Amino acid sequence: QLQASGGGLVQAGGSLRLSCAAPGRTFSIYGMGWFRQAPGTEREFVAAINWNGGSTYYGNSVKGRFTISRDNAKSTVYLQMNSLKPEDTAVYYCAAGPVYGARMAGEYDHWGQGTLVTVSS
């Protein structure tokens, strides 16, 4: 089971760090991803990381502002979000899937419950 945390209310230009814990010894065999969904929109790819952290991928709207990382010893993946904008407001979901880290939500097998990020202008 994936447990996302770290969401909250932040002003535009601020930063937040999301965490997603995945208790269990099989964490390191999964690529991990972050997706987000704002009301009335489709789920959007944010970032992904392969099983050992050697490869990372970002959606165009967050590239250069967000950083995904992982700590396999802690079975946790992180999303550092800087220079936040009001359009980043959404529920953020972490997911576990293919070892290479996928961009498509359909490739992920396991999902967390989501954490709400609200960016005020």
Side-chain angles (χ1 to χ4, degrees):
Q1 185 173 356
L2 304 178
Q3 302 164 0
S5 61
L9 174 64
V10 64
Q11 288 188 332
S15 298
L16 280 175
R17 189 176 81 154
L18 306 184
S19 299
C20 176
R25 57 182 177 178
T26 59
F27 176 78
S28 61
I29 71 172
Y30 288 103
M32 300 295 294
W34 286 98
F35 293 78
R36 68 186 183 187
Q37 188 167 19
T41 69
E42 294 185 352
R43 193 163 292 190
E44 177 189 8
F45 169 72
V46 175
I49 189 167
N50 76 331
W51 69 278
N52 67 355
S55 296
T56 56
Y57 310 93
Y58 297 94
N60 289 336
S61 60
V62 306
K63 200 171 296 183
R65 300 188 296 123
F66 290 11
T67 302
I68 188 171
S69 61
R70 65 189 295 160
D71 185 338
N72 284 350
K74 296 181 179 180
S75 297
T76 301
V77 62
Y78 305 96
L79 185 68
Q80 177 67 44
M81 305 186 296
N82 298 329
S83 303
L84 283 161
K85 305 175 182 180
E87 51 264 42
D88 294 319
T89 295
V91 177
Y92 284 70
Y93 299 90
C94 63
V99 294
Y100 52 83
R103 294 175 177 268
M104 302 298 292
E107 295 191 65
Y108 287 85
D109 302 313
H110 309 285
W111 292 83
Q113 83 284 6
T115 185
L116 176 62
V117 172
T118 303
V119 184
S120 62
S121 58

